[in-house]
Amino acid sequence: MDQWSAIDFPSNPPDRNGRNNVWYRVTLPAGDWHDPVLYIFSVDLIVQVWQGDRQIYQFGEFDAEGRGEFAGWPWHAIALPPDYHDKPLYFRIYSNYIDIGLWGEVAIMEQQALVPYILKNSLKSLIVAGMCALLALLAAIFAFVRKDDRGFNGIALFASSSALLLFSGTDASQLLWRQPLMWEYLEAGSYYMVPVALGVMLAQWLGPKPAPLLKRLWQLHLLYLVLALGASLLGLVTLASTYPVFDVLFLVSLVIMSAMAVFGIRQMSGDQRLLLAVFGVYCLLLMADMAVAHGFLPWVRVPVSWGVLLFLLAVISISVAHYRHIQIQLQQMNARLEQEVAERTAKAEALTLRERRRVKLLTFENEKNRLSDDVVAGLQSCTSLAQAMKLLVLELPDLTSPLRGALYQPDALCTYSPEDCWRQVVSWGYNSNSSGPFTNASPLPEAFDGLINLPPPTRLFADIRDLPPDDTDLPGALHNLCLWINVQKAESGSHTIGFLQLEIPEYFSANTTEYGIARLCFSMDQIIQKIGLTLSGVLLHQDLQRLSYEDALTGLHNRRFFDRLMKHEIAVCRRSQRSLTLLIADVDHFKRFNDDYGHEAGDLVLQRIASELAPALRESDTVCRYGGEEFVVLMAGASSAQAQVKAEALCKRVQDIKLEYEGVVLRPLTISVGVASWPDDTLQPEKLMGLADKALYRAKRNGRNRVEVSSSG
């Protein structure tokens, strides 16, 4: 007690070296308890608890040498004084067992909450123990009635020993009778009986050949049960010391029995194999409990009762199966008599249902064809793909009615390729109380990963002539349609821009025929293909419009776009009296650059300069390639001074460019810039182009790589 060492858990402290006495010290945490009690799951083996020099609890008896006799493994409820939380508690413990110290759960709770807590922890085992006792009684009755089937003897023995093992091992048993050592004897006896029951059952199931060895094994365990409990009652050994020996003996026997069961499993019936399998699970749980008890695994409540419950369920399921088999045999004659009537009735109902669906589908197809023509006409009037998709979203509920579904499109915010991220844009038909067709109550996924779970398009038939006249030779029933919206791009060919997930109504697909699914799938697929062709035309028109205003080399707007934008900006600036500034930038000595390095290097220069223009300017400024090596910039709302600052920054960025082409470092680049502003330099904004051009030539004459403003000339 002179030196104290902190350990992770108050069991088996390091450097025990065979010592049987240990002291633990702990200061318990404070809590808002009126009548606190310290609950400990178990102690190996006897214990005293002290607060200061006052003893507040004792289990077992210490002799003059600090030793004591094994008194059982109960739970402990240690009443704590009101001022416990600021004072250390000391635990004096003696154990000659493989473990020493506190074991399992340690908790502080109210005195009145202790009994409910104990009952809650024991409830499952108590229920299973009751079921085991009932099964043991029934098995004993069957064993008495059917004396030729000795398998019931093993079941009765196992169920009764399991019932006693579970009940005596519960915390609640201490509430019924506070005799821990007596409950330990009952638990040990029932535990030692498990291999006896297993040997009796296997001897019956495996036949006469392995029976003698199995008989010797279970007789050996029965002998050990008598000797271990007898020697312990006589005081020759402690009951705790009999557990390790039995565990070793049980493991050896279990290996032998398992080998016999594997070699003899072919001659077992299905019911016996099932019982043997669940019995094996029970034995595995017992071995796990052994591993915990001997410190090979950290402490945890091993659910041994689960194995027992599984065995009970197996017996019950076998009984129910036998009963069901008898009932089936009794019902087969009536079923055969009723079958013909049911088949004729089903055929008549199927024909009626088929005709009803046919009428609904024909109405559906006619209506959808009319709606699809209207939608296609509306899409053809759109000037961009985005505008067309907005119109399509509005028309989809009517176009697909009465189908419910959702539309998915690539997610532009995806961190990797947008085409690998598909997000639900809109859904319809899932909320009957909604005032509009679109809701957020769709049970369909919010998104799909294009690399993992993107649904493939539904394809049943390539042509209407392939549709079957009846329900023969059809795939399995479909409950969803997935239709991809594909468009043709001039650069990359076919491209998917979205897909629909549609739910098929029950009256189209249920029961006897798949005809409705075939017609529905074909009709909707044709409509979506028609829409895809229309959208391809819209996309082609949009691309042609874009290409007519875009410079192919640099990606900037071209001169045609600039001429139209210039007229527009002049009108806007006059109306709002906002200033308008024009910059013209020209690459210095560009012809000489082309002559020295070639036109491909010149194209590289133009592309690099084009990429430097936008970062050096404002977001509201518009940059265009005017022609050759000339670039123009429209800066609405900017004064001459502001434009000059931007132009000088641009000259600096271009001068800092370092280019290499085919392993050759190109000489530095420079540009000259001319600036003209309305109304600072002229009262007629139409003259800005001429004034900026003159300023540019003045910059060229004055040495290049500079900015000249029109007013400075």
Side-chain angles (χ1 to χ4, degrees):
M1 295 176 57
D2 296 333
Q3 296 180 351
W4 298 89
S5 300
I7 59 175
D8 294 333
F9 192 80
S11 177
N12 288 329
D15 301 324
R16 177 183 177 183
N17 296 327
R19 284 176 286 183
N20 297 331
N21 293 88
V22 67
W23 283 83
Y24 293 99
R25 180 183 66 187
V26 64
T27 301
L28 300 177
D32 188 18
W33 289 289
H34 299 289
D35 190 11
V37 62
L38 178 64
Y39 168 79
I40 300 175
F41 178 80
S42 181
V43 175
D44 285 315
L45 290 171
I46 62 174
V47 61
Q48 288 180 344
V49 183
W50 298 76
Q51 185 184 44
D53 57 356
R54 180 162 56 105
Q55 180 180 334
I56 62 174
Y57 183 78
Q58 178 165 332
F59 174 73
E61 297 295 333
F62 287 86
D63 58 19
E65 298 179 357
R67 301 175 179 270
E69 297 293 332
F70 174 68
W73 281 306
W75 49 266
H76 303 269
I78 304 170
L80 299 174
D83 58 346
Y84 75 90
H85 51 81
D86 290 327
K87 299 177 180 179
L89 291 182
Y90 298 91
F91 294 80
R92 179 191 181 188
I93 296 176
Y94 165 79
S95 175
N96 58 359
Y97 189 56
I98 56 176
D99 291 310
I100 186 170
L102 309 185
W103 185 254
E105 296 174 299
V106 179
I108 304 176
M109 61 184 70
E110 293 286 353
Q111 177 71 44
Q112 61 184 8
L114 180 62
V115 173
Y117 182 80
I118 296 297
L119 292 176
K120 179 181 178 182
N121 286 340
S122 305
L123 182 60
K124 180 175 63 177
S125 296
L126 292 174
I127 294 174
V128 177
M131 296 176 63
C132 284
L134 179 60
L135 177 61
L137 178 61
L138 294 176
I141 293 174
F142 279 107
F144 180 80
V145 174
R146 299 182 58 181
K147 296 182 179 180
D148 58 326
D149 190 353
R150 297 182 180 179
F152 287 105
N153 294 327
I155 295 176
L157 185 60
F158 169 71
S160 58
S161 59
S162 296
L164 183 58
L165 175 65
L166 290 175
F167 182 77
S168 58
T170 62
D171 295 347
S173 62
Q174 305 296 328
L175 298 176
L176 180 65
W177 189 23
R178 190 64 179 178
Q179 290 294 328
L181 189 57
M182 183 58 63
W183 286 117
E184 289 301 330
Y185 275 100
L186 292 175
E187 184 176 8
S190 57
Y191 179 44
Y192 296 166
M193 186 62 68
V194 171
V196 177
L198 179 58
V200 171
M201 282 192 293
L202 286 178
Q204 179 64 26
W205 294 346
L206 296 179
K209 188 174 182 179
L213 179 58
L214 287 171
K215 184 177 180 180
R216 292 189 186 93
L217 282 176
W218 69 255
Q219 287 177 343
L220 175 63
H221 279 277
L222 185 60
L223 177 63
Y224 181 84
L225 184 154
V226 174
L227 293 177
L229 297 186
S232 178
L233 289 172
L234 294 175
L236 301 177
V237 296
T238 62
L239 181 62
S241 64
T242 65
Y243 275 92
V245 179
F246 170 79
D247 289 341
V248 174
L249 181 62
F250 179 53
L251 285 176
V252 174
S253 301
L254 187 60
V255 172
I256 298 174
M257 291 180 181
S258 299
M260 292 182 179
V262 170
F263 286 107
I265 197 169
R266 291 184 178 180
Q267 66 189 54
M268 292 184 185
S269 65
D271 297 341
Q272 292 172 341
R273 293 176 183 177
L274 176 61
L275 291 176
L276 184 63
V278 298
F279 208 100
V281 174
Y282 174 69
C283 291
L284 290 176
L285 292 174
L286 282 179
M287 287 190 290
D289 194 47
M290 292 181 202
V292 172
H294 293 290
F296 295 104
L297 294 176
W299 185 87
V300 66
R301 288 181 183 266
V302 178
V304 178
S305 60
W306 290 4
V308 180
L309 180 61
L310 187 61
F311 182 83
L312 293 176
L313 293 176
V315 173
I316 293 172
S317 64
I318 291 172
S319 302
V320 171
H322 281 285
Y323 176 79
R324 181 174 178 273
H325 180 68
I326 295 174
Q327 293 299 316
I328 290 175
Q329 289 179 337
L330 294 175
Q331 294 174 0
Q332 282 180 347
M333 293 184 63
N334 290 333
R336 282 195 296 268
L337 294 176
E338 295 174 357
Q339 184 176 2
E340 292 184 4
V341 177
E343 288 177 352
R344 293 175 182 177
T345 304
K347 288 181 179 179
E349 292 177 351
L351 289 174
T352 303
L353 179 61
R354 178 181 176 81
E355 291 305 315
R356 191 179 303 164
R357 289 182 187 169
R358 188 189 299 272
V359 172
K360 288 186 177 181
L361 281 167
L362 290 174
T363 304
F364 174 86
E365 290 180 24
N366 293 334
E367 177 65 17
K368 296 314 164 191
N369 287 332
R370 183 188 64 80
L371 286 174
S372 66
D373 292 339
D374 294 340
V375 171
V376 167
L379 295 177
Q380 288 174 341
S381 64
C382 296
T383 59
S384 67
L385 185 61
Q387 182 184 7
M389 289 303 295
K390 289 181 180 179
L391 175 62
L392 181 61
V393 167
L394 295 175
E395 297 292 346
L396 278 176
D398 290 336
L399 190 62
T400 59
S401 176
L403 307 183
R404 303 184 300 180
L407 172 66
Y408 296 83
Q409 288 185 272
D411 188 356
L413 300 179
C414 184
T415 55
Y416 46 100
S417 175
E419 294 184 359
D420 291 336
C421 304
W422 297 82
R423 187 160 298 280
Q424 187 180 121
V425 178
V426 68
S427 63
W428 56 88
Y430 292 98
N431 187 355
S432 58
N433 297 323
S434 177
S435 59
F438 307 133
T439 73
N440 291 323
S442 167
L444 296 172
E446 288 292 327
F448 287 98
D449 189 326
L451 299 176
I452 300 176
N453 63 345
L454 185 66
T458 303
R459 291 286 186 272
L460 285 181
F461 307 100
D463 191 89
I464 194 170
R465 292 171 295 182
D466 298 330
L467 292 176
D470 50 33
D471 59 351
T472 59
D473 298 325
L474 276 170
L478 293 177
H479 303 288
N480 290 281
L481 294 180
C482 180
L483 303 176
W484 287 15
I485 304 176
N486 296 322
V487 298
Q488 292 291 329
K489 287 189 174 182
E491 302 91 344
S492 55
S494 180
H495 185 72
T496 302
I497 61 171
F499 65 87
L500 278 69
Q501 285 280 82
L502 302 175
E503 291 189 29
I504 301 174
E506 183 180 357
Y507 56 79
F508 279 157
S509 62
N511 298 330
T512 60
T513 180
E514 304 297 336
Y515 178 81
I517 298 178
R519 300 287 303 189
L520 174 66
C521 179
F522 182 80
S523 176
M524 290 307 305
D525 186 50
Q526 292 297 304
I527 291 174
I528 295 302
Q529 288 189 37
K530 188 188 300 184
I531 289 174
L533 291 174
T534 305
L535 293 177
S536 297
V538 174
L539 183 61
L540 178 61
H541 177 76
Q542 177 182 323
D543 288 343
L544 291 175
Q545 187 76 7
R546 174 180 57 82
L547 292 173
S548 67
Y549 288 110
E550 184 178 285
D551 178 57
L553 177 63
T554 63
L556 301 175
H557 297 299
N558 58 17
R559 180 170 180 174
R560 182 181 179 187
F561 179 85
F562 170 76
D563 292 339
R564 294 189 61 177
L565 181 64
M566 185 70 175
K567 293 179 181 178
H568 173 75
E569 289 296 337
I570 288 175
V572 171
C573 290
R574 274 179 169 166
R575 185 167 57 250
S576 62
Q577 291 301 302
R578 184 180 60 175
S579 61
L580 179 64
T581 301
L582 176 66
L583 277 66
I584 300 180
D586 184 86
V587 182
D588 296 330
H589 299 301
F590 186 69
K591 183 178 182 305
R592 187 189 307 169
F593 196 93
N594 274 341
D595 294 340
D596 293 344
Y597 299 108
H599 289 281
E600 292 183 356
D603 291 343
L604 177 64
V605 167
L606 294 177
Q607 291 172 345
R608 180 59 185 273
I609 291 177
S611 68
E612 295 291 339
L613 291 174
L617 301 169
R618 305 175 306 173
E619 291 185 3
S620 59
D621 299 337
T622 304
V623 184
C624 304
R625 184 185 179 193
Y626 195 68
E629 67 272 23
E630 283 191 339
F631 300 90
V632 291
V633 182
L634 269 177
M635 303 178 66
S639 64
S640 293
Q642 292 172 331
Q644 184 177 3
V645 172
K646 292 293 184 181
E648 290 174 350
L650 179 59
C651 289
K652 180 64 170 59
R653 289 179 71 98
V654 172
Q655 190 176 4
D656 291 340
I657 293 176
K658 292 180 175 56
L659 287 177
E660 182 177 328
Y661 178 71
E662 293 185 350
V664 177
V665 178
L666 306 182
R667 64 170 172 265
L669 302 171
T670 60
I671 61 172
S672 300
V673 184
V675 181
S677 179
W678 177 84
D680 295 345
D681 302 330
T682 179
L683 298 178
Q684 298 180 17
E686 293 84 357
K687 295 184 177 182
L688 284 177
M689 190 66 190
L691 294 175
D693 195 51
K694 291 179 180 179
L696 171 63
Y697 280 105
R698 189 163 57 251
K700 294 284 188 180
R701 290 194 304 269
N702 292 339
R704 293 182 172 82
N705 191 23
R706 58 187 296 118
V707 178
E708 291 289 345
V709 181
S710 177
S711 61
S712 65

